[in-house]
């Protein structure tokens, strides 16, 4: 619960000392100030009659609340009670008066009751005196809402005064009465001289602090941070650290620090908020001076004074550009030199000093291999490296560094690549599965990994012996290829070098067939089916559709239903026997016609019964 009073939710119970006893109060509204209502009835008895008066501001209760009761409130808290501007209706003059007070009773309107007649046209009237507080519901919609208005005295529910007069409509003459909230939480009326309970209400400064036990206390700001440390020399766009000393807080609710910056004696801008005692900043290019100040804040919103540092001069320097390019040869051989070149960088300040070249071998750390004014460097590649990459950046006389230009990573060739031997004659045009014979070998006798691909899609990868191999392209791998030119790729790698051999061929398929891999079983006799073949089938194609209702027999009876499929009609089976139970299957066959026009089948749909 600990925190700022103004941040607590409506309905929260807080504690305030009244007559040196911690007393519960309910937060009934949050606005500019926090509105509290005592949870229980404070006093009850005949001596608390409002007295026969038509003005609540002149009543005995009003005087008691703002004198005797107010003096009983914790003197640490009472100065934070705000003056409230409340509204009261005058009984005899049927008019309204507003006045300033600190402690008061709630009105019927503030308790959630609407203004107007109660119990018919000649019933008592509730006048509008303020707005409904957010803690209370409208009227009496539920037992829960009624319960919010009930209050106890000595652990028993008792009636309580409101500050609202009762008046009857249409000229009825009744003695001066006030609305009360009865012991059951519902509205009632009583003579102003009768005794009832009182529940004091007032508004508090929202910046008071709620302790962990719910009690309210005055909140003191944290102390000023002990120190503020800023570098004596600052270069624009370059990061630097800012540190400050810790603050303390009397209530122990220190929450963090706010650091602000001013450029060239301009306005202060917040650049950090948090609990740590340091941050990193950099000054934008063009600023001549920079100054910082820091303050602490607590969970109740109180702030310390500022700790302000001296203004620091800023050195403006633009880092040189990155070299436009970095070039190294495609072939990198272990044990041989390698020449690396790069293009010149630019520096708007005219103080470009040189370049730093770094090398990365086998994906490890970057290591500097050259620093100077030249645009080229020859490096020695160590035999055994697998990969090598380079990056270069420029620097100026103030040690400002440009961005890196990074090369591609090159494979280092340390041995003789594996050899792949294939027949000189290529496969040519293929309409069905086929194979290609080849052999692989390695001069050093290193283990060889072979990858077989079609059109860049890997089909198989395996460890190969130095012997004859067979690349087989068939089954779904062949079927999934479209008609037209394709490429087989055989790649052999010994873990260091890789050799690739490509073989071109053309797929040309003029026929296709579709069937179910397994017949569809039926519970009873299959007598009829309907099928549709979707796709694009040329007019002159040889197109046949067949169906069977005894697909699980050794010799199924296939019945031609091509005409029915073309006409969109049902096919009635002639076969009436099935040794292994009735089961449905179909087969579709298409052969390209004399026009040579191609086509395709996207799906076969249908059903049977």
């Amino acid at each position: 619960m600990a925190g700022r009073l103004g941040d607590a939710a409506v309905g929260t119970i807080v504690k305030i000392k009244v007559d040196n006893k911690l007393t519960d109060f309910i937060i009934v509204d949050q606005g500019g100030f926090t509105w509290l209502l005592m949870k229980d009835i404070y006093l009850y008895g005949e001596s608390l009659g409002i007295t026969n008066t038509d003005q609540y501001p002149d009543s005995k209760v009003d005087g008691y609340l703002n004198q005797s009761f107010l003096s009983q409130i914790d003197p640490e808290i009472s100065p934070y009670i705000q003056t409230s501007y409340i509204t009261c209706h005058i009984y005899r003059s049927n008019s309204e008066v507003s006045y300033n007070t600190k402690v008061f009773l709630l009105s019927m309107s503030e308790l959630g009751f609407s203004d107007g007649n109660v119990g018919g046209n000649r019933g008592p009237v509730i006048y509008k005196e303020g707005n409904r507080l957010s803690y209370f519901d409208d009227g009496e919609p539920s037992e829960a809402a009624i319960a919010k208005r009930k209050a106890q005295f000595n652990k028993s529910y008792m009636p309580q005064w409101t500050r609202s007069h009762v008046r009857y409509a249409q000229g009825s003459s009744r003695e001066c009465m006030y609305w009360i909230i009865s012991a059951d939480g519902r509205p009632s009326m009583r003579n102003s001289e009768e005794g009832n309970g009182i529940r004091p209400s007032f508004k508090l400064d929202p910046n008071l602090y709620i302790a962990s036990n719910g009690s309210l206390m005055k909140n003191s700001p944290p102390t000023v941070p002990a120190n503020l440390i800023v570098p004596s020399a600052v270069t624009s766009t370059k990061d630097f650290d800012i540190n400050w000393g810790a603050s303390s807080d009397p209530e122990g609710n220190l929450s963090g620090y706010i650091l602000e910056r001013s450029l060239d004696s301009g306005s202060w801008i917040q650049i950090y908020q948090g609990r740590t005692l340091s941050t990193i900043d950099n000054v934008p290019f063009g600023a001549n001076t920079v100054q910082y100040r820091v303050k602490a804040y607590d969970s109740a919103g109180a702030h310390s004074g500022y700790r302000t540092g001296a203004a620091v001069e800023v050195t403006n320097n633009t880092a040189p550009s990155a070299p436009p390019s970095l070039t190294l040869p495609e072939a990198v051989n272990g044990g041989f030199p390698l020449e690396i070149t790069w293009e010149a960088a630019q520096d708007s300040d005219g103080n470009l000093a040189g370049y730093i070249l770094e090398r990365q071998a086998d994906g490890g750390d970057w290591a500097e291999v050259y620093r100077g004014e030249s645009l080229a460097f020859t490096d020695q590649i160590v035999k055994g490296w697998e990969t090598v990459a380079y990056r270069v950046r420029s620097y100026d006389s103030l040690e400002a560094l440009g961005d890196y230009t990074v090369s591609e990573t090159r494979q280092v060739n340390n041995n003789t690549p594996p050899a792949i031997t294939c027949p000189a004659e290529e496969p040519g045009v293929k309409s069905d599965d086929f194979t290609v014979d080849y052999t692989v070998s390695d001069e050093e006798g290193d283990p060889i990994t072979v990858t077989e691909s079609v059109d860049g899609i890997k089909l198989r990868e395996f460890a190969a012996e130095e012997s004859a191999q067979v690349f087989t392209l068939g089954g779904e791998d062949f079927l999934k290829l479209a008609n037209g030119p394709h490429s087989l790729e055989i790649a052999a790698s010994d873990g260091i070098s890789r050799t690739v051999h490509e073989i071109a061929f053309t797929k040309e398929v003029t026929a296709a067939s579709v069937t179910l891999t397994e017949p569809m079983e039926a519970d009873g006799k299959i007598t009829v089916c309907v099928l549709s073949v979707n796709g694009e089938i040329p007019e002159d194609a040889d197109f046949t559709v067949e169906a069977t209702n005894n697909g699980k027999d050794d010799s199924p009876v296939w019945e031609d239903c091509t005409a029915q499929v073309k006409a969109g009609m049902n096919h009635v089976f002639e076969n009436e026997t099935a040794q292994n139970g009735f089961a449905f299957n179909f087969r579709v066959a298409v052969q390209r016609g004399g026009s040579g026009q191609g086509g395709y089948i996207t799906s076969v749909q249908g059903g049977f019964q």
Side-chain angles (χ1 to χ4, degrees), residues 224-246:
V224 176
N227 54 48
L228 177 60
I229 304 173
V230 181
S232 58
V234 172
T235 301
S236 63
T237 72
K238 188 174 182 180
D239 287 351
F240 55 89
D241 293 329
I242 303 170
N243 302 273
W244 53 91

Side-chain angles (χ1 to χ4, degrees), residues 271-529:
I271 61 169
Y272 170 82
Q273 180 171 354
R275 300 187 66 88
T276 65
L277 297 175
S278 66
T279 190
I280 296 173
D281 193 29
N282 63 69
V283 177
F285 184 83
N288 297 309
T289 62
V290 64
Q291 191 174 15
Y292 293 89
R293 67 182 185 182
V294 64
K295 65 178 179 179
Y297 62 92
D298 64 21
S299 60
H303 293 248
S304 73
Y306 283 102
R307 175 74 64 182
T308 305
V312 177
E313 290 190 3
V314 178
T315 299
N316 287 290
N317 178 59
T318 304
S321 68
S325 65
L326 174 62
T327 305
L328 55 153
E330 292 286 340
V332 180
N333 300 307
F336 293 87
L338 182 73
E339 185 179 27
I340 304 100
T341 61
W342 54 92
E343 289 185 75
Q346 302 295 320
D347 192 299
S348 60
D349 303 312
N351 61 341
L352 179 67
Y355 303 90
I356 299 171
L357 180 68
E358 298 175 357
R359 177 187 62 214
Q360 182 189 54
D362 295 337
D365 295 335
W366 291 95
E368 183 178 318
V369 295
Y370 171 77
R371 181 186 293 254
E373 299 179 5
S374 177
L375 297 176
F377 177 73
T378 300
D379 196 19
Q380 184 68 28
I381 304 302
V382 175
K383 187 173 179 64
W385 285 347
E386 294 185 1
T387 63
V388 68
Y390 293 87
R391 65 184 187 183
V392 65
R393 70 194 308 185
S394 55
Y395 60 92
D396 64 18
S397 59
L398 293 177
E399 298 184 352
L401 298 172
D403 293 332
Y404 282 107
T405 298
V406 184
S407 75
E408 295 180 350
T409 299
R410 294 278 193 256
Q411 295 288 329
V412 178
N413 183 11
N414 289 299
N415 72 338
T416 304
I420 301 173
T421 305
C422 282
E425 184 179 350
E426 294 195 335
V429 177
K430 295 294 181 181
S431 61
D432 205 348
D433 300 357
F434 68 96
T435 61
V436 173
D437 295 330
Y438 65 95
T439 60
V440 293
S441 60
D442 187 83
E443 186 176 302
E444 289 85 12
D446 294 329
I448 302 171
T449 299
V450 174
T451 304
E452 297 174 348
S453 306
V454 177
D455 297 337
I457 299 174
K458 183 170 69 176
L459 301 183
R460 184 169 70 132
E461 185 173 277
F462 61 97
E465 301 288 340
E466 290 193 11
S467 60
Q469 306 293 332
V470 179
F471 191 151
T472 301
L473 183 60
E476 288 189 7
D477 294 330
F478 185 82
L479 290 174
K480 288 188 290 186
L481 297 177
N483 280 351
H486 298 278
S487 176
L488 301 180
E489 181 184 278
I490 303 169
S493 172
D494 61 4
I496 300 173
S497 302
R498 188 172 185 267
T499 302
V500 178
H501 184 79
E502 293 186 354
I503 304 169
F505 73 96
T506 300
K507 178 181 177 181
E508 187 173 322
V509 177
T510 59
S513 62
V514 182
T515 188
L516 295 173
T517 56
E518 292 290 336
M520 302 173 65
E521 297 182 11
D523 295 334
K525 182 177 179 181
I526 300 175
T527 60
V528 65
C529 71

